[in-house]
Amino acid sequence: MRQPIVFVTDFGRDDAYAASLTGAAMRVDPHSICVEGTHGVGAGDVLAGAYHLKALARAFTGGAVLCAVIDPGVGTTRRAIAIKAGRLRCVAPDNGLVSYLWNETDPEDRWAISLDIPPGTSPTFHGRDVFAPAAAELASKDGFDVAGDLIDDPVLLPAAFAERRGNAVHGVVAVVDHFGNAITTIRAENLGDARVRTVSWPAGSCEGLVTTYAEVTTTVGALIGSAGHLEVAGNCVAVVTVGGPQVGDAVVVELA
Amino acid sequence: MRQPIVFVTDFGRDDAYAASLTGAAMRVDPHSICVEGTHGVGAGDVLAGAYHLKALARAFTGGAVLCAVIDPGVGTTRRAIAIKAGRLRCVAPDNGLVSYLWNETDPEDRWAISLDIPPGTSPTFHGRDVFAPAAAELASKDGFDVAGDLIDDPVLLPAAFAERRGNAVHGVVAVVDHFGNAITTIRAENLGDARVRTVSWPAGSCEGLVTTYAEVTTTVGALIGSAGHLEVAGNCVAVVTVGGPQVGDAVVVELA
Amino acid sequence: MRQPIVFVTDFGRDDAYAASLTGAAMRVDPHSICVEGTHGVGAGDVLAGAYHLKALARAFTGGAVLCAVIDPGVGTTRRAIAIKAGRLRCVAPDNGLVSYLWNETDPEDRWAISLDIPPGTSPTFHGRDVFAPAAAELASKDGFDVAGDLIDDPVLLPAAFAERRGNAVHGVVAVVDHFGNAITTIRAENLGDARVRTVSWPAGSCEGLVTTYAEVTTTVGALIGSAGHLEVAGNCVAVVTVGGPQVGDAVVVELA
């Protein structure tokens, strides 16, 4: 069955670039089902892109082809890759965008290919000329049949993975979302079954975890968000305005 | 026939939240037709959401399922509802979002259901786990068959409805649109056949009504916009910059 | 075969206007394939719209119906038109939006029609009541069969076309894109085979052309972008912040 193509880019929505991906996919397969994941990733922000790809993978559990184009190195020698992680497939420049998709899939159930670059490709727009056509090709059928060489070492971002040191888990804020919640690289599985004692960042801290945004009664609280990452959240307020952390800030969870 | 699902949220477009609704709908029905109504409602702005739902209902007259998620109370005890208003169906948190859809439909032709919350629902993301799946279920067939109890008292926002006092109609600015026009809660039907003498707000006023934006020759004018609400409009200028009202301002129409 | 409808407007994405076009198209043809080209053109910026239409025409080479609504004169006597340029069809207010589409198509292969305005059309929203329905009509079948009179003089914008004077080509910045690149009206064909010596604008200049964004090693460089227009580009930086030109600035290319 034809699967949807879900685009994740830093193109913004105010130019023709985003829709050009849809056009390019439709050239390969006029019946492509094109979904706007988000075109709002910060320019060149690969870590944020990796997080949004993971969040979308959780939503498209029936299978989809993610097409990620956050690509400051376009036209240089960086590889273009396709991966298969369980039922999900993803095409992207090989710069760390697939960090979570790759890391969180059983090694038995993941494959990666270094894509051939078609002749005539524009040196400034691989999204249109490489990634969208490859995504459309993959989405039009099952399997993982695209032109290129099998590889086993897609680039992963070290910064995407929190570190456990003793009773503490050290991460960073990867994304501040539209509501002003600061989403970290600390994942539910990093905490295991231990109780959270405190969550701290350069400018402040809070105690324990809550379950819903509405429970945050003081200025900020911490909770596990809908993609399984710890976030510092406010009650209808951007956390940075009430002492919370911002993108890139170190966040430490102390476990009981 | 399968109907489109039209999303209206305050999620913005820069995260994965908006597309997660599409993913959740496709899990229920892989052939879902997902349309982005708007994800640009102000965070928690239920009155603006109610207005945009009405405007979209006017555009999708062939029938559609509106899926509205402006939901500051997510995870609390507020009800999740589905309504049928004529040919249109809508799912939403029960916080007033359906005010216009419900109020403007003949009582004989409207129904409401308090939706069951499925087990395993994330306490922070009912859009993905409750509303989008219910919308996909409804959109995949005709009728109004979803799990829940019939109710007859969806929450309506008092602020959504202008009041007639003598020869005056009192409303507020519900939305300032992308062009800077200030759209009020005063509807064409509130004016009846009477001639408009003046439209006034805290910082100014204008005389009578015009028909097109191009007719506004002085700083601001008033007209009945494309969804049937009175708006204070400028000639290619945001009205707030030329003495017009802003969101929340009281607006009074004096009739002849 | 049914073709996609690609919308290009200055509506923004925060109101119901953009999706109202989709709703209107679906009323004419419930199976319409609606694609968001962009709704982010600056209010009333016809030159930017003309550029984005050209960029999208390059992406949708399999044929599409572009539906352009940047329409400050809505409700006045300006014509509403449909054109056919090669395989591509486009509906728009007759204010210059089709400048590039028309100019860059062989006169033997282009046609234009002045569209009839249906009775009951809202004087403030021809996008919903005129252009989207006409686009859906065209997209549902091949050919160029819509109600109206053949014309041969669609409005073209003089400002869209750079001028050659001796060894110099004079243009302007039409669009600053999401990445801060300043895209001009100077097209690859204006340069012919001549070598570019310098590109200059009121506040600065640069030497020669590069091929990829990554090659820009000094503050700004010039290259031919993905739609065939010369742009002044930075290396991961908005050019205006490093001495580059802004929208409307004159840009001159001196050829060797």
Side-chain angles (χ1 to χ4, degrees):
Chain A
M1 201 184 71
R2 181 175 283 106
Q3 295 288 352
I5 305 168
V6 182
F7 295 107
V8 175
T9 82
D10 60 357
F11 294 177
R13 229 25 208 99
D14 292 352
D15 301 296
Y17 303 131
S20 294
L21 301 180
T22 296
M26 284 184 170
R27 261 191 278 180
V28 173
D29 173 8
H31 300 289
S32 289
I33 302 161
C34 293
V35 175
E36 186 161 329
T38 178
H39 296 292
V41 177
D45 190 343
V46 174
L47 176 56
Y51 171 78
H52 290 309
L53 287 170
K54 171 181 175 173
L56 288 163
R58 290 199 162 206
F60 285 82
T61 50
V65 178
L66 297 168
C67 180
V69 196
I70 295 149
D71 195 12
V74 62
T76 67
T77 58
R78 67 100 187 86
R79 296 184 296 194
I81 60 171
I83 71 161
K84 184 169 193 302
R87 294 190 62 176
L88 204 99
R89 292 162 292 172
C90 178
V91 296
D94 187 25
N95 58 14
L97 280 167
V98 303
S99 292
Y100 292 117
L101 300 181
W102 186 260
N103 172 271
E104 297 182 354
T105 305
D106 190 314
E108 305 292 300
D109 205 18
R110 65 189 190 195
W111 294 268
I113 285 174
S114 173
L115 293 169
D116 296 343
I117 305 298
T121 291
S122 158
T124 63
F125 202 180
H126 283 199
R128 184 187 62 187
D129 296 345
V130 178
F131 297 113
E137 180 92 25
L138 286 168
S140 68
K141 49 180 194 270
D142 290 324
F144 191 50
D145 182 17
V146 277
D149 298 317
L150 268 175
I151 59 170
D152 59 5
D153 60 347
V155 170
L156 304 184
L157 291 177
F161 302 103
E163 254 183 84
R164 177 97 184 224
R165 303 183 205 147
N167 269 343
V169 182
H170 294 254
V172 295
V173 175
V175 167
V176 172
D177 75 10
H178 178 68
F179 299 99
N181 303 314
I183 301 169
T184 74
T185 55
I186 299 169
R187 296 173 286 170
E189 56 265 42
N190 297 136
L191 308 179
D193 292 329
R195 195 171 61 74
V196 166
R197 196 193 294 273
T198 59
V199 178
S200 56
W201 54 90
S205 69
C206 63
E207 307 292 312
L209 292 186
V210 296
T211 308
T212 65
Y213 295 113
E215 276 173 78
V216 179
T217 48
T218 54
T219 50
V220 296
L223 51 74
I224 300 297
S226 54
H229 283 226
L230 184 137
E231 58 188 73
V232 180
N235 192 344
C236 297
V237 68
V239 293
V240 74
T241 65
V242 289
Q246 42 193 304
V247 167
D249 274 2
V251 174
V252 181
V253 172
E254 208 182 311
L255 299 170
Chain B
M1 201 186 72
R2 180 175 283 108
Q3 296 287 352
I5 305 168
V6 182
F7 296 106
V8 175
T9 81
D10 59 358
F11 294 177
R13 229 25 210 96
D14 293 351
D15 301 297
Y17 303 131
S20 294
L21 301 180
T22 296
M26 284 184 170
R27 262 191 278 179
V28 172
D29 173 8
H31 300 289
S32 289
I33 302 162
C34 293
V35 175
E36 187 161 328
T38 178
H39 296 291
V41 177
D45 190 343
V46 174
L47 176 56
Y51 172 78
H52 290 309
L53 287 169
K54 171 182 176 173
L56 288 163
R58 292 199 162 205
F60 286 83
T61 49
V65 178
L66 296 168
C67 180
V69 195
I70 294 149
D71 195 10
V74 62
T76 66
T77 57
R78 66 100 187 88
R79 296 183 297 194
I81 61 171
I83 71 161
K84 184 168 193 305
R87 294 191 61 175
L88 204 99
R89 293 162 291 171
C90 178
V91 296
D94 187 25
N95 59 15
L97 281 167
V98 302
S99 292
Y100 292 116
L101 300 181
W102 186 260
N103 172 270
E104 297 182 353
T105 305
D106 190 314
E108 304 292 300
D109 204 18
R110 65 190 189 195
W111 294 268
I113 285 173
S114 173
L115 293 169
D116 295 344
I117 305 298
T121 291
S122 158
T124 63
F125 201 1
H126 282 199
R128 184 187 63 187
D129 296 345
V130 178
F131 297 112
E137 181 92 25
L138 286 168
S140 68
K141 48 179 195 271
D142 290 324
F144 192 50
D145 182 18
V146 278
D149 298 317
L150 268 175
I151 59 170
D152 59 5
D153 60 346
V155 170
L156 303 184
L157 291 178
F161 303 102
E163 254 183 85
R164 177 96 184 225
R165 302 184 206 146
N167 268 344
V169 182
H170 294 254
V172 295
V173 174
V175 167
V176 172
D177 75 10
H178 177 70
F179 300 98
N181 302 314
I183 301 169
T184 73
T185 54
I186 299 168
R187 296 173 285 170
E189 57 264 42
N190 297 137
L191 307 179
D193 292 329
R195 196 173 61 75
V196 166
R197 194 193 295 273
T198 59
V199 178
S200 56
W201 53 91
S205 69
C206 63
E207 307 293 312
L209 292 186
V210 296
T211 309
T212 66
Y213 296 113
E215 276 174 78
V216 178
T217 48
T218 54
T219 51
V220 297
L223 51 74
I224 300 297
S226 54
H229 283 227
L230 183 138
E231 57 188 75
V232 180
N235 192 345
C236 297
V237 68
V239 293
V240 75
T241 65
V242 288
Q246 41 193 306
V247 167
D249 274 2
V251 174
V252 181
V253 173
E254 208 181 313
L255 298 171
Chain C
M1 201 185 71
R2 181 176 281 106
Q3 296 288 351
I5 304 167
V6 182
F7 296 107
V8 175
T9 81
D10 59 358
F11 294 177
R13 232 18 212 102
D14 293 351
D15 301 297
Y17 303 131
S20 294
L21 300 180
T22 296
M26 284 183 169
R27 260 191 278 178
V28 172
D29 173 8
H31 300 289
S32 288
I33 303 163
C34 293
V35 175
E36 186 162 329
T38 178
H39 296 292
V41 177
D45 190 343
V46 173
L47 176 57
Y51 171 78
H52 289 310
L53 287 169
K54 171 181 176 173
L56 287 163
R58 292 199 162 206
F60 286 82
T61 49
V65 178
L66 297 168
C67 179
V69 196
I70 295 149
D71 195 11
V74 62
T76 67
T77 58
R78 66 99 188 88
R79 297 183 297 194
I81 60 171
I83 71 161
K84 185 169 193 301
R87 295 191 61 175
L88 204 98
R89 292 162 292 170
C90 178
V91 296
D94 187 26
N95 58 15
L97 281 168
V98 302
S99 292
Y100 292 117
L101 300 180
W102 186 260
N103 172 270
E104 298 181 355
T105 305
D106 190 314
E108 305 292 300
D109 205 18
R110 65 190 189 196
W111 295 268
I113 285 174
S114 172
L115 293 169
D116 294 344
I117 305 298
T121 291
S122 158
T124 63
F125 201 1
H126 283 198
R128 183 187 64 187
D129 296 346
V130 178
F131 297 113
E137 180 92 24
L138 286 168
S140 68
K141 49 180 193 272
D142 290 323
F144 191 51
D145 182 17
V146 278
D149 297 318
L150 268 175
I151 59 170
D152 59 6
D153 60 346
V155 170
L156 303 184
L157 291 178
F161 303 102
E163 255 183 84
R164 178 98 184 223
R165 302 185 206 146
N167 269 343
V169 182
H170 294 253
V172 295
V173 175
V175 167
V176 171
D177 75 10
H178 178 70
F179 299 98
N181 303 314
I183 301 169
T184 73
T185 55
I186 299 169
R187 296 172 285 169
E189 57 265 41
N190 297 136
L191 307 179
D193 292 329
R195 195 173 60 75
V196 167
R197 195 192 294 272
T198 59
V199 178
S200 56
W201 54 91
S205 68
C206 62
E207 307 292 313
L209 291 186
V210 296
T211 309
T212 67
Y213 296 113
E215 275 173 78
V216 179
T217 47
T218 54
T219 50
V220 296
L223 51 74
I224 301 297
S226 54
H229 283 227
L230 183 137
E231 57 189 74
V232 180
N235 193 345
C236 297
V237 68
V239 293
V240 75
T241 65
V242 290
Q246 41 194 306
V247 167
D249 274 2
V251 174
V252 181
V253 173
E254 208 182 312
L255 299 171

